[in-house]
Amino acid sequence: MPRAAQEALRFALMPEVLRPGRISVEGVEQGIAALEEIEDSGPVPEGTPHVPALLHFVECVAAAVGGETQGVLRRWAEDVAGRLGVHTAALQQRRLDAERWAAHQPMPASRVWAELSRHAGDPEDRYRCEVRLVREDGSSTRLSAADEAPRAAQEVAKVIWEAADSILCEASPGDFAPRVDVVVGREGLHWSIDEWAPDSLNEFVPGVPLGVKFRLTLRCPEMSNRVSTRDAEQQRRWASSPGVPLIVDQGCGSPRQLAVRLQSSHRDTLQVVLHGPRTQRAPLLDVCLALGVPVVLWDRAADGYEDASWLDAVKPTGPVRDLPQRVWRFRGEADQYPDRYRARPSLVWEDTVPSPAGVLQLLDPVEEGHIPT
């Protein structure tokens, strides 16, 4: 049912009850009520009513289940369509779309894309959150919108958790923890998002931090808007040999020293590890991102260069491709043994996968379309 709802509401906002990967028996009734209030935004013959999302959803479920249940659901959809005045051609189009969807079974979601922001006047401890499920073919489904009311950190964590949990429902045995890309502005790079946790998932299991459960990394497209050469530099660095990570110590602890190294001896460097005082890390991070370094690791808990060893357990100079996995495992250990593992790693990981929101902005779901009768 969640996947059928994602198909029926591809260009609409998913009702909250349908967002998790699993729906309870009680949730089905709530989901039906929510779908009754939404149109599916698809084309209809001119002068006829739009198709309720509920009918499109039922057609998707019918196409997926087959057998006698398929016939029962389709007859119900036809009866409701007739009562509402929905044109036969419009319902038939939804049925054909549903059959195509059920026949090829779209790729399962592979990651969560979460954009966090604040609007002017929002409380400091509240965040706007737009969440999408992204599939391997680049298509996505929006689960929450940034124009919804700002949420507390634990509420944001719950939205992201439910989205990632739907990936776990479709994962094969042995799969890694789902990937969560958190998109933030420069200010958000310093939020402890990986430590945010939902209050609880149910009456028995308490919530645990997002970074413990999922492979959470950060992205900052704001820097690309401010530095025109940044995206090209990122692509060039990814295409080059990864080489040895640049470790920022006292020898290159100023923005100018770092900028010189990243444009000369480390022009192809893929990864930078930032050490040093808290007050210096923000401008150094800006230099890294502006010069197109796609992978940057630092320890939020470190006070100075003397704390650099706290990151040793992450193996920051190990194979860069495995770094998100190593950070994820470290966060789990640090949550269990905080005195032994003192680092609180933040990781910017900006591969060349395009923003799903950027692709979908070309579509206008509220524009009325028409199909011939």
Side-chain angles (χ1 to χ4, degrees), residues 354-369:
S355 162
V359 175
L360 292 180
Q361 284 172 356
L362 299 175
L363 301 173
D364 183 5
V366 299
E367 182 179 352
E368 293 189 3

Side-chain angles (χ1 to χ4, degrees), residues 220-305:
C220 186
E222 175 192 337
M223 189 61 77
S224 295
N225 297 332
R226 303 181 65 162
V227 181
S228 61
T229 57
R230 187 212 183 196
D231 288 347
E233 279 295 289
Q234 274 192 349
Q235 293 174 8
R236 184 187 62 75
R237 289 180 186 273
W238 276 116
S240 303
S241 174
V244 178
L246 173 59
I247 308 298
V248 176
D249 53 20
Q250 292 95 324
C252 58
S254 73
R256 187 181 187 283
Q257 290 172 317
L258 178 58
V260 169
R261 290 204 182 186
L262 289 176
Q263 296 177 90
S264 57
S265 61
H266 291 77
R267 183 174 180 270
D268 295 332
T269 292
L270 191 63
Q271 177 193 348
V272 170
V273 181
L274 295 177
H275 295 305
R278 298 171 187 266
T279 55
Q280 293 183 11
R281 287 199 295 266
L284 294 176
L285 178 58
D286 286 344
V287 170
C288 292
L289 299 184
L291 291 176
V293 177
V295 180
V296 186
L297 175 70
W298 70 97
D299 176 10
R300 297 189 306 272
D303 291 319
Y305 295 109

Side-chain angles (χ1 to χ4, degrees), residues 5-198:
Q6 291 171 20
E7 172 65 15
L9 298 176
R10 185 180 297 180
F11 305 122
L13 185 61
M14 186 78 68
E16 188 168 353
V17 67
L18 297 175
R19 294 175 188 174
R22 301 176 179 86
I23 299 177
S24 65
V25 175
E26 297 78 11
V28 172
E29 184 174 352
Q30 300 174 33
I32 290 174
L35 289 171
E36 286 181 331
E37 303 299 323
I38 304 174
E39 296 173 351
D40 75 346
S41 301
V44 295
E46 189 170 1
T48 64
H50 283 281
V51 179
L54 177 60
L55 293 189
H56 194 170
F57 168 74
V58 168
E59 288 291 347
C60 289
V61 174
V65 299
E68 294 182 5
T69 304
Q70 181 182 86
V72 172
L73 292 173
R74 286 181 169 176
R75 286 192 294 273
W76 179 89
E78 291 166 358
D79 290 344
V80 174
R83 177 170 56 83
L84 297 178
V86 172
H87 200 284
T88 303
L91 183 63
Q92 185 62 29
Q93 183 63 55
R94 304 313 184 272
R95 184 167 294 175
L96 290 173
D97 291 343
E99 288 175 348
R100 295 190 190 99
W101 168 78
H104 68 73
Q105 287 298 299
M107 292 183 179
S110 60
R111 61 193 172 103
V112 175
W113 184 278
E115 297 190 27
L116 304 185
S117 61
R118 284 202 189 107
H119 293 185
D122 286 350
E124 288 190 5
D125 60 346
R126 294 292 188 273
Y127 309 86
R128 308 275 175 162
C129 180
E130 178 162 320
V131 175
R132 293 178 182 270
L133 279 179
V134 184
R135 300 178 184 84
E136 293 180 2
D137 60 3
S139 62
S140 68
T141 301
R142 188 175 63 162
L143 302 184
S144 69
D147 57 2
E148 294 181 351
R151 309 168 188 258
Q154 64 266 28
E155 295 170 329
V156 172
K158 183 178 180 182
V159 173
I160 294 175
W161 186 292
E162 290 177 342
D165 192 49
S166 66
I167 297 177
L168 284 172
C169 292
E170 301 175 0
S172 301
D175 280 357
F176 286 144
R179 170 178 168 180
V180 176
D181 293 341
V182 179
V183 181
V184 292
R186 288 167 58 233
E187 175 192 12
L189 291 169
H190 306 284
W191 298 339
S192 55
I193 302 168
D194 55 279
E195 297 182 13
W196 295 358

